Amino acid sequence: MMKKILGTLRFFAVVIVSLSFASVILVSLIFNKSGELFHWFCRKWAKVVLRICATTVRVRGVENLRQAQSFVYVSNHASMFDIPAVIAGIPDQIRLVYKKELEMIPIFGWGLKYGAYIGINRGRGVEAQKSLDEATEKIRNGESVLLYAEGTRTLDGKLQPFKRGAFHIAVQAGVPVVPLTINSSFKILPKHSISINPGDVELILDKPIYLAGTQGKEAELKLMEEVHAAIEKHYVNQ
């Protein structure tokens, strides 16, 4: 019982810290809309959140990343803790792709909306295509982007089938794709839970997959198979 109470207190502490950082970010955007400054604040937020929750991040495969090279990182998605773990753990100016519905959250959502990260409309039609085009354009302009291949968080800690959307963006952008495996975040904060359990998160960066100018549905499906195999190789059911 005490463990659950402490876990819930950690959750509300994270909420307060997140709202505080979002407020500072909103003010900073009035004076400086640089994506680098925005990500700097987000890294500070991520490190504070991890410290509050007594959670450490171990990263393997950093040597696979080249300097001055943008990537599309494609990963599994087990927990909301994937976000601070990736932001704090990977030494790159990563732009997260998030669900546009999150923009409706007061203060926190506004920080996302007006910041450097990319909101995706998961429906169909003009708005959905516009958000996909925005993500593709940012990647072509030299920014690294993180995409979750499963589309949503796992409910049972097992790797889910991948959706094609992330691979459509990757192929359209034409930059190398880095398969990213996230292990052990599910037990820290499972979906639908508000109790945070301290733990260790492992990030495994695989070697980049170069697309060699390939386009079309077949290229997307082939890339999806390759990335799924790379992540499945390292993934530990949680």
Side-chain angles (χ1 to χ4, degrees):
M1 183 65 177
M2 182 57 68
K3 185 179 177 181
K4 191 167 185 179
I5 292 171
L6 286 173
T8 304
L9 289 174
R10 288 190 196 98
F11 179 87
F12 285 109
V14 167
V15 170
I16 293 168
V17 165
S18 299
L19 290 175
S20 300
F21 267 88
S23 300
V24 172
I25 287 170
L26 282 169
V27 173
S28 74
L29 289 172
I30 298 172
F31 305 100
N32 188 320
K33 294 187 177 182
S34 162
E36 291 187 9
L37 179 64
F38 180 85
H39 188 67
W40 182 86
F41 273 118
C42 289
R43 288 202 83 185
K44 292 292 183 185
W45 163 79
K47 290 176 180 179
V48 171
V49 165
L50 293 169
R51 193 173 300 120
I52 287 172
C53 299
T55 295
T56 58
V57 179
R58 292 180 290 111
V59 187
R60 291 167 48 196
V62 173
E63 67 277 4
N64 290 322
L65 307 181
R66 289 182 180 177
Q67 296 290 332
Q69 167 75 66
S70 61
F71 298 103
V72 173
Y73 296 87
V74 179
S75 80
N76 58 290
H77 195 14
S79 166
M80 286 300 291
F81 252 76
D82 296 341
I83 296 170
V86 167
I87 293 174
I90 297 180
D92 194 354
Q93 281 281 331
I94 297 178
R95 306 292 180 250
L96 301 188
V97 175
Y98 64 88
K99 298 179 294 185
K100 263 196 171 294
E101 300 96 282
L102 293 177
E103 293 177 0
M104 298 177 68
I105 301 172
I107 303 177
F108 179 80
W110 304 338
L112 287 175
K113 182 176 181 179
Y114 298 108
Y117 293 166
I118 306 162
I120 289 288
N121 187 324
R122 296 193 301 174
R124 298 192 175 190
V126 176
E127 284 302 312
Q129 187 58 50
K130 184 180 176 182
S131 59
L132 292 175
D133 291 343
E134 180 189 351
T136 303
E137 192 60 31
K138 286 206 173 193
I139 299 165
R140 285 175 177 162
N141 287 337
E143 297 183 3
S144 292
V145 170
L146 172 69
L147 300 164
Y148 292 118
E150 296 160 299
T152 188
R153 285 168 284 161
T154 178
L155 287 171
D156 58 7
K158 296 179 181 178
L159 191 63
Q160 303 175 92
F162 286 178
K163 299 184 183 298
R164 213 175 98 215
F167 304 96
H168 173 75
I169 293 173
V171 168
Q172 289 295 311
V175 301
V177 175
V178 176
L180 168 61
T181 308
I182 305 175
N183 283 326
S184 303
S185 61
F186 178 77
K187 62 185 179 183
I188 294 173
L189 184 63
K191 194 171 183 177
H192 304 314
S193 173
I194 61 168
S195 180
I196 296 173
N197 306 299
D200 298 324
V201 179
E202 181 184 49
L203 307 179
I204 303 173
L205 296 157
D206 222 305
K207 291 182 179 178
I209 299 170
Y210 291 84
L211 304 179
T214 55
Q215 292 287 326
K217 183 178 178 180
E218 286 187 13
E220 293 167 15
L221 293 174
K222 182 175 183 296
L223 178 61
M224 184 168 70
E225 289 177 8
E226 287 184 59
V227 173
H228 191 281
I231 292 176
E232 188 175 41
K233 177 177 64 178
H234 300 296
Y235 190 75
V236 177
N237 283 335
Q238 303 168 59

